[in-house]
Amino acid sequence: MRPFTYERAEDAKDAVRAVRETPGARFIAGGTNLIDLMKADVERPAHLVDVGRLPLAEISETPEGGLRIGAMTTNSQVADDLRVRARYPVLAQAILAGATQQLRNKATTGGNLLQRTRCPYFYDVSKPCNKREPGAGCAALDGLNQGAAILGATEACIAVHPSDMAVALTALDARVETLSPSGETGSMAIEALHRLPDSAPQHDTNLEPGSLITAVVLPPPPQGGQVYRKARERASYAFALVSVAVAGDAVALGSVAHKPWRASRAEAARAAGASPAEAMAAELESARGYGRNDYKIRLAARLGAAAVEQAMNGRAA
Ligand code: SF4
């Protein structure tokens, strides 16, 4: 690991100022992804600004009847919160489907959203990777791409976003609150946070560089059932091959694209009277595989339809 300097921020505005004014500075909170990336020499920050103890670890009611989840809440704290479990079970299920208890105890809400892809070539600095080194090429196109995207990918990058939590938040129409480098507060729909790779896969999000996520805001719970389903290679501590979040009429897919994928076509098809299977088929019309990940198209269709049916029938996951 390369040498770096470190400071702990006591205030959110001081934190963004420190990152803005220090060349090569990055935020760190739980560190469950960033430290791995630093050890692999993928991330090379010169300075870390620790935001993990900022007073942003509360979960509170909003006047609209939703919840405001501070960005420094741990994944365990959110999944264990009785209000989340009662009103947003899809979110609790998604968080508990991810990582391990130890990791969930450290990982934060903000950090979970900003974790980076687990494409094996992104972590192997001896292999070409446009996300790590723009213009280098993409080793996954003809390589180990069994986990790769089936929707919204480009030849520049076929990686997927690895978060479970973000998929549930997408189905729940959450919003993300931010603090810009100049200290201005902002808010964006979670669908606008992450981006497709296009020709610039080095950018995972639409956040202004140096911005800090301060909270996630949930609207009032939707009418109808909520379900999170995750297909993976083993029963725990594995990233999704495909995941599905259903929250009322909303459907989102995980591990199928560079961002959590809102299944808008499936939702429109369901509203027009299509069966869950027909709705998922409509969603996946434009899906394509890259060889080893071709199976994900069928898996997404079946898991998606099963999750929608489960939510309609009100069964627990
Ligand atoms: Fe890099 Fe993306 Fe290609 Fe993986 S899929 S090697 S992250 S450019």
Side-chain angles (χ1 to χ4, degrees):
M1 190 185 283
R2 294 173 191 245
F4 59 90
T5 51
Y6 168 94
E7 70 177 281
R8 178 175 291 154
E10 306 292 340
D11 174 85
K13 289 198 170 177
D14 288 344
V16 293
R17 189 182 311 119
V19 165
R20 185 183 71 224
E21 293 176 353
T22 314
R26 292 283 307 274
F27 297 118
I28 188 169
T32 57
N33 188 209
L34 180 58
I35 297 295
D36 283 348
L37 289 164
M38 290 169 66
K39 287 180 187 169
D41 208 25
V42 175
E43 297 272 10
R44 302 169 181 175
H47 184 68
L48 291 179
V49 177
D50 188 343
V51 292
R53 297 195 191 175
L54 293 180
L56 299 171
E58 296 289 317
I59 301 175
S60 55
E61 300 281 348
T62 68
E64 295 77 24
L67 288 179
R68 186 172 186 279
I69 299 171
M72 300 309 148
T73 51
T74 66
N75 289 178
S76 296
Q77 183 185 348
V78 177
D80 291 345
D81 187 277
L82 294 179
R83 295 162 296 182
V84 171
R85 289 168 64 173
R87 288 151 56 186
Y88 305 96
V90 65
L91 178 56
Q93 291 165 18
I95 292 172
L96 293 174
T100 62
Q101 185 68 50
Q102 292 96 327
L103 285 166
R104 292 192 294 268
N105 289 346
K106 287 296 291 178
T108 62
T109 297
N112 187 314
L113 293 175
L114 298 180
Q115 64 179 300
R116 308 208 69 189
T117 186
R118 268 37 177 214
C119 171
Y121 301 110
F122 179 63
Y123 286 75
D124 182 348
V125 294
S126 71
K127 298 291 192 304
C129 170
N130 287 323
K131 184 178 283 294
R132 182 169 22 80
E133 187 184 344
C138 173
L141 283 174
D142 297 315
L144 299 173
N145 56 33
Q146 51 266 53
I150 54 173
L151 291 164
T154 65
E155 297 288 301
C157 181
I158 58 174
V160 299
H161 195 272
S163 172
D164 291 292
M165 185 190 80
V167 183
L169 292 176
T170 299
L172 287 167
D173 282 323
R175 293 190 68 82
V176 176
E177 293 185 348
T178 58
L179 190 64
S180 78
S182 54
E184 290 165 6
T185 57
S187 171
M188 62 169 70
I190 189 151
E191 264 204 274
L193 174 64
H194 300 102
R195 59 184 297 283
L196 292 175
D198 300 321
S199 58
Q202 68 272 26
H203 301 301
D204 291 344
T205 73
N206 292 312
L207 282 179
E208 182 183 355
S211 291
L212 180 69
I213 292 178
T214 53
V216 169
V217 179
L218 298 173
Q223 297 289 319
Q226 298 183 30
V227 166
Y228 189 74
R229 294 282 296 267
K230 176 175 178 176
R232 47 185 159 174
E233 288 181 337
R234 56 178 184 264
S236 70
Y237 197 27
F239 290 97
L241 301 170
V242 172
S243 68
V244 187
V246 183
D249 295 331
V251 182
L253 298 173
S255 288
V256 298
H258 197 257
K259 59 181 287 186
W261 187 267
R262 184 69 181 257
S264 306
R265 289 185 183 182
E267 293 172 13
R270 285 181 69 204
S275 69
E278 291 167 340
M280 291 312 301
E283 187 63 48
L284 294 160
E285 252 174 26
S286 62
R288 65 156 290 194
Y290 293 85
R292 293 175 187 237
N293 72 337
D294 293 350
Y295 73 95
K296 289 178 95 171
I297 300 173
R298 295 188 302 281
L299 181 59
R302 291 176 185 172
L303 193 69
V308 170
E309 279 181 20
Q310 188 175 332
M312 287 165 63
N313 295 332
R315 285 182 279 126

